[in-house]
């Protein structure tokens, strides 16, 4: 692929030879002359001087510095330009096969399939399911009865969509995702647990991406909802009746307990836990490893992590922590005596 | 469905017209006149005055207050009544199809199937497996060689039961559950890890429910055991040779390390971690996000969470925490000087 | 099986009758006269006096003590001997069936299969995949296009290997493992997330074992790499472009964020979280439940856990923790006043 092809499709101002061939995208510090690279974070600016990249994507602010060293593409937002380049590249190196329905797939005769639907080997589409135009369904994926999958959505190998659940358009669900298992609901009765049947569904908006082995449970009475543009990484647990606001993103191993409502544009770092029946405002950012046990009404970054240390130091401080309240009392006593 | 039908099947005292039609179950604050609702937690009592519900399920203590506003069902335990109502409802809105064995399922000729077994598309039942009466096996579920599944148990789509494992009666296993993968056992030898073959199995009692993508490993020498009535939420990890006492429940993302023994009627909140080779008494409750590193011999609630805060406050306190032991020494020094 | 057979194959010095029959391997405290047991940890030495085991595997240091009570095998490293015994035992009680390709498997005609490959029911091997000699592929496992699986590797039921990914020799991947789902990469653009296509793959060395439902994402530009001998337990998350050094082991529920580089011979305890773009030296050991947020350049044990306590004590100490920084200031003020 040449720089000329690339700029013709993606825009940006090209400084350098349109005929230059590019064979790979690479970070500045790993690029060779056949690579295109990008400078998104100003703190790596010094790498412009040392990179071997054949072409660099940069912002207008470093135009002169970049073009002095070789070919460059000037873009207002180099990281966004890189994202679009990655998409353009993927389409070229991994062109999609013509859509087809593999003969080993088990498609119920009452399922409604749109145009250009691709269904992999051994997938199962149950009765009354509705599959939109251009949907791709990987091998071993199960779409439950009366579930609906919006146009352009891609389900990888081995995804499970429960009955009645609704997935929007242009979503990507990775392998092992389980949508619409029962929420965890029981009434205690004389030391045993009586099951509360989960009568709701899961409704997922457009442009949502869910990572491998992530789970979104169906609601108990109402529905569990992921709004448009939500992105969840791998092994995330979303409990029943949670609502996640648009464009909120959660990293791997996060858990959200039942009925919690997330605002829009929130983030949760890896391993964060959010308890149930809470409300989080828009633009709340929960740090990795943090447990949130109260509602948060103000945007901002929230953290609660025991800082890690070498084990011996940790042991001393952790042991003292168990006496912290009494230390405060002793401090108060001293203060009272102090003149 | 009418109130009369409902009370005829579930009991309780009906105050109001038996012919009243109910189209949905809803919480008090989301109910409309076609809904039945319930008051289980006294702190929501004020909602009785404002709910639009056509009928409310209440305890005898609020009988007058409830009947003054419209139809009511009086039940000793309204939450249990609601649980049973949800089960009654699910049977009506999602009646089970007549049991059948899908022609695409791969059932080994030596497998023993009980009466009224339902096996979904592309399920695999390996040699010598025993499937009890009325068992439902979802699409893509694999029952390994010589495994046994008790009567009335339901395996959702894509569950894996390892060879020789035993599942009790009336259990529910959700999609992605893996029973009987190898426990994590290795002997260190000159910097490498030598595999210890896991020679035990998993034995699960009756009325156990396991959430999506939850894992229960097989034992190294003995077995891993979940007693009757255990309920595990999604993405829970139970390591080899753990024993979980009857009616213990664990929320999502919990991990229990090898050979730990849980008492009966315990609970673990979301994201809790329990280290290996520990013993927990009956009625021990571990808070969400808490790591348990020692055995617990007394019933009660146990917690260990760094309280979350806005990031700036957290940073100040966390930084000071690294000096906590020396702060205590300084406090002691002052106390010694103080008259 | 007799002690004589065992020692003939595994070595060690037998003190006792070679004809003694062994029916089971058991821990010292659960052994009966038909059992063989082992003493690996000196702290259990007293159990030598009370065990009912027919034979015990011990180190030369307790030779006399062990042989005084009955049959014994003397081995330099009794735990390693036990590991090899477990392997020897497993081969006898669970002999592998002759390799075969189940007729229901969907194998693309361009896939290249080595000798003695075993493919279970309903497995899917996509175009151009290369399967080495003696590989075992369980039911419902999917090997993506152009993926390569090294000789002697065993994929359990329901494993997903993404396109282009490479798995080494003699690996074991348990059910639910997902290799090569997209890494979690997005460029923020006006409040939405623009997908960065993940153009790399996953490369896994030899003798790697991955637990149930564990995920290893493909790299964004370069690859995600697990070196030889890495062992990951269940429900572990390895993000894009992580590199895990040889013989590093991680317990269940661990998460490692993107681009982090682990040294060799490291360990991470259950539920540990390691943030992204960090470097950990060889022989770094992260305690269970600990979050690592900075690179670690020195070998050693690192910990950061809020010590658990009964809930009332925790509440008092945790509440005080929010004032820790101001307590330090008050302590300083007192110190300044103190003569």
């Amino acid at each position: 692929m040449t720089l000329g092809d690339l700029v013709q499709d993606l825009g940006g101002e090209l400084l350098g030879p349109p005929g230059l061939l590019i064979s790979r995208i690479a970070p500045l510090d790993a690029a060779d002359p056949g690579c295109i690279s990008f400078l998104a974070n100003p703190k790596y600016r010094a790498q412009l001087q040392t990179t071997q990249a054949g072409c660099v994507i940069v912002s207008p602010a470093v135009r002169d510095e970049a073009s002095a060293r070789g070919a460059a593409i000037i873009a207002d937002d180099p990281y966004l330009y890189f994202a679009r380049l990655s998409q353009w590249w993927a389409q070229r190196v991994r062109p999609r096969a013509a859509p087809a329905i593999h003969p080993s797939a088990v498609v119920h005769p009452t399922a409604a399939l749109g145009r250009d639907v691709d269904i992999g080997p051994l997938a199962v589409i149950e009765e009354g399911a509705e599959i939109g135009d251009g949907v791709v369904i990987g091998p071993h994926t199960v779409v439950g009865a009366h579930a609906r999958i919006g146009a352009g959505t891609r389900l990888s190998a081995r995804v499970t969509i429960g009955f009645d659940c609704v997935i929007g358009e242009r979503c990507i669900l990775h392998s092992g995702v389980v949508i619409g298992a029962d929420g965890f609901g029981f009434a205690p009765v004389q030391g045993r647990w009586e099951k509360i049947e989960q009568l709701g569904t899961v409704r997922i908006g457009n442009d949502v991406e869910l990572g491998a082995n992530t789970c979104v449970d169906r609601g108990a009475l109402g529905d569990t909802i992921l709004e448009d543009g939500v992105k969840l990484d791998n092994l995330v647990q979303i409990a029943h009746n949670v609502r996640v606001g648009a464009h909120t993103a959660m990293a791997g191993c996060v858990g959200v307990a039942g009925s919690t409502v997330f605002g829009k544009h929130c983030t949760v770092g890896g391993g964060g836990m959010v308890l149930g029946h809470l409300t989080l405002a828009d633009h709340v950012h929960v740090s990795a490893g943090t447990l949130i046990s109260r509602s948060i009404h103000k945007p901002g970054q929230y953290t609660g992590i025991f800082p890690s240390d070498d084990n011996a130091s940790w042991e001393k401080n952790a042991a003292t922590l168990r006496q912290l309240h009494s230390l405060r009392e002793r401090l108060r006593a001293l203060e009272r005596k102090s003149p």
Side-chain angles (χ1 to χ4, degrees), chain A residues 1 34 61 66 87 96 100 112 114-115 123-124 149 152-153 173 198 231 246 256 263 274 310 336:
Chain A
M1 295 166 253
Q87 297 167 9
R96 289 239 184 109
R115 282 173 302 164
V124 174
I149 313 293
T153 281
L173 276 61
Q198 305 291 299
K231 312 290 183 188
V256 182
V274 182
D310 66 273
R336 260 181 246 117

Side-chain angles (χ1 to χ4, degrees), chain A residues 15-267:
Chain A
L15 306 178
L20 188 70
L21 282 166
I22 295 296
S23 60
R24 207 157 53 89
I25 313 174
L28 287 168
D29 61 355
D32 63 41
C35 291
I36 185 166
S37 192
F38 63 98
L39 177 65
N41 187 333
K43 84 175 182 192
Y44 296 121
R45 186 167 176 169
Q47 294 187 3
L48 266 189
Q49 303 310 322
T50 55
T51 183
Q52 302 294 311
C55 177
V56 292
I57 304 161
V58 298
S59 68
V62 289
R63 174 197 184 97
D64 294 346
E65 194 176 333
S67 65
R69 60 156 294 287
I73 294 171
I74 313 301
D76 288 342
D77 182 341
Y79 198 50
L80 174 58
Y81 196 97
F82 158 63
R84 296 209 168 125
L85 170 60
S86 74
Q87 297 167 9
W88 184 87
W89 199 271
Q91 284 176 5
R92 272 151 195 80
V93 298
R94 303 171 188 165
R96 289 239 184 109
I101 297 175
H102 196 276
S104 65
V106 177
V107 181
H108 196 277
T110 62
L113 306 189
R115 282 173 302 164
D116 296 331
V117 166
D118 188 273
I119 302 183
L122 302 167
V124 174
I125 315 291
E126 296 190 333
E127 67 175 302
E130 298 178 28
I131 312 294
D133 294 346
V135 166
V136 176
I137 292 178
H140 285 122
T141 282
V142 177
V143 179
H146 307 289
R148 283 182 284 151
I149 313 293
T153 281
R154 186 151 54 88
L155 309 180
S156 300
R158 192 187 6 129
V159 168
T160 301
I161 309 293
F163 60 87
D164 292 347
C165 295
V166 179
I167 315 293
E169 302 186 350
R170 298 174 304 279
C171 294
I172 300 175
L173 276 61
H174 290 286
S175 292
V177 163
V178 179
I179 304 296
D182 281 351
F184 196 62
F186 301 91
V189 42
Q190 295 166 9
R192 313 179 292 104
W193 300 101
E194 182 83 19
K195 182 170 176 72
I196 296 169
E197 287 285 344
Q198 305 291 299
L199 301 169
T201 74
V202 177
R203 288 189 286 130
I204 292 180
N206 298 324
D207 302 302
V208 168
E209 184 161 345
L210 305 182
N213 285 344
T214 278
C215 302
V216 184
D217 278 353
R218 66 176 63 240
L221 295 173
D223 297 329
T224 306
I225 295 171
L226 306 184
E227 295 181 359
D228 291 350
V230 165
K231 312 290 183 188
L232 307 184
D233 196 357
N234 298 354
L235 291 164
V236 170
Q237 152 68 352
I238 304 291
H240 50 182
N241 299 100
V242 165
R243 181 178 193 115
V244 181
H247 309 296
T248 283
M250 303 186 192
C253 309
V254 164
V256 182
S259 300
T260 280
V261 177
F262 262 86
K264 300 182 198 306
H265 307 290
C266 296
T267 60

